[in-house]
Amino acid sequence: MNVEVFYIILFVIAALYAAVGHGGASGYLALMALYGVAPKEMKPTALVLNLFVSMTSFIQYYRGGHFKLRIFLPIALASIPLAFVGGMIHIEDVLYKRILGVLLLFPVFRFFFFKSPDDKDLKEPNPYLSLIFGGIIGLFSGMIGIGGGILLSPVLILLKWTNQKQTAAISAAFIFVNSVSGLGGMLTKEISFTNDMWMYVVCAFAGGLLGSYLASSKLNQNGIKYVLAVVLLMAAYKLIII
C-alpha cells in the first residue's frame, strides 16, 4: 500500500469516527495492522491519535449540552486504573490481531442493530453495573490500545442509559481518559513510535476536526455509521480470518 494512500485512509477513518463520537483507535489499529506496522508501535500510536480526535469530538458534543457527568464518573473511575494495568500487559502478535478483529465487531453490531432509545425510554444508570462495565472495558482498552468507546457505546445504548448524542459525548470523554491511562501503563515498559508519527497526528487531527464539523452539520449520521460499519467489518474479517 502506498504511504500517501495510508495517510488518506487515516484521515478518513479519523473523520468518520469523530463524527460518531469516537477517537478511532480501533480503526487506526486495523489500518496499521493491515499495513504491517509492528504491534509494539501500533498500541501507543493509536492511543496518542485517540487523544487528539476524541478531544475534538468531546468539545463538539459538550458544547451541545449532551455530556452527562453523573453517568460518566463511575464508569471512568473504574476504567482508568484498569486501563493503566492493561497497558502493562503484553499480548502475542497473532493473538493480538485476532482480539482486535473481534473487538471491531462491537461497533459493527451497534451501528447496524442498536438504535438510539427515545428520551422517554431512558433508564436511570445502575452505579454498580457502571463500575463493573467500566473496569472490564478499561482493562481491555489498555491491553489492546484502544480508548474503549467502541465497547462502551453499545452498552450505554443497549441498557438505555443514554441517547445517541449523550452516548457520543460520554464515549469521547471516556476514550480520552482511558487513552491517557493506557499510555501511562505502556510507559512502564519499553515502547516505540513510528518515525512518521507527526504525520499520523496531523492526518488524524485534521480528520477529527472534519468529523466534528460533520457531526454538527445536517449530514445524515446514520449514513456515516453504516459506512464506518462496513469498513470495520471488512477490517475485522481480514484480521480474524486471513
Side-chain angles (χ1 to χ4, degrees):
M1 185 186 297
N2 187 282
V3 67
E4 287 79 11
V5 175
F6 176 90
Y7 291 140
I8 292 171
I9 297 175
L10 180 64
F11 172 86
V12 172
I13 289 174
L16 290 174
Y17 269 89
V20 295
H22 291 306
S26 56
Y28 312 141
L29 288 170
L31 176 61
M32 286 188 283
L34 297 176
Y35 196 73
V37 178
K40 67 177 182 179
E41 294 181 356
M42 287 166 52
K43 292 168 62 175
T45 298
L47 290 180
V48 169
L49 299 182
N50 251 4
L51 296 178
F52 289 92
V53 179
S54 62
M55 179 53 65
T56 59
S57 182
F58 171 73
I59 290 172
Q60 180 64 51
Y61 283 101
Y62 181 82
R63 286 177 175 173
H66 304 295
F67 182 64
K68 302 298 180 184
L69 182 62
R70 64 182 182 83
I71 299 176
F72 168 77
L73 274 180
I75 298 173
L77 288 175
S79 72
I80 290 172
L82 285 173
F84 185 91
V85 172
M88 300 170 64
I89 299 174
H90 172 73
I91 303 176
E92 189 270 331
D93 290 359
V94 174
L95 177 60
Y96 175 83
K97 291 182 179 180
R98 298 292 187 271
I99 295 175
L100 175 59
V102 172
L103 293 182
L104 288 179
L105 296 176
F106 279 80
V108 172
F109 282 111
R110 182 236 162 161
F111 293 149
F112 276 132
F113 303 114
F114 296 164
K115 294 184 178 180
S116 176
D118 294 330
D119 288 349
K120 61 181 178 63
D121 297 325
L122 293 180
K123 300 178 180 179
E124 191 67 22
N126 183 307
Y128 300 107
L129 281 179
S130 296
L131 292 171
I132 293 172
F133 284 126
I136 294 172
I137 295 172
L139 182 63
F140 272 101
S141 299
M143 288 172 56
I144 305 301
I146 59 176
I150 63 170
L151 303 177
L152 178 63
S153 293
V155 171
L156 294 177
I157 294 293
L158 186 62
L159 294 178
K160 296 183 179 181
W161 288 355
T162 54
N163 61 31
Q164 180 172 308
K165 291 189 175 181
Q166 291 168 352
T167 298
I170 292 172
S171 294
F174 183 79
I175 290 165
F176 185 86
V177 298
N178 272 345
S179 296
V180 172
S181 182
L183 273 172
M186 291 177 193
L187 287 173
T188 64
K189 307 289 184 178
E190 183 179 350
I191 64 172
S192 58
F193 295 97
T194 173
N195 293 330
D196 298 324
M197 184 67 191
W198 68 274
M199 275 299 298
Y200 286 28
V201 171
V202 169
C203 292
F205 184 59
L209 290 175
L210 175 62
S212 297
Y213 169 76
L214 294 177
S216 63
S217 69
K218 295 182 179 180
L219 192 67
N220 188 334
Q221 269 209 338
N222 285 329
I224 296 174
K225 288 192 295 183
Y226 293 145
V227 170
L228 183 55
V230 171
V231 171
L232 293 179
L233 185 60
M234 292 189 295
Y237 172 77
K238 286 183 173 293
L239 289 170
I240 297 171
I241 305 299
I242 298 178

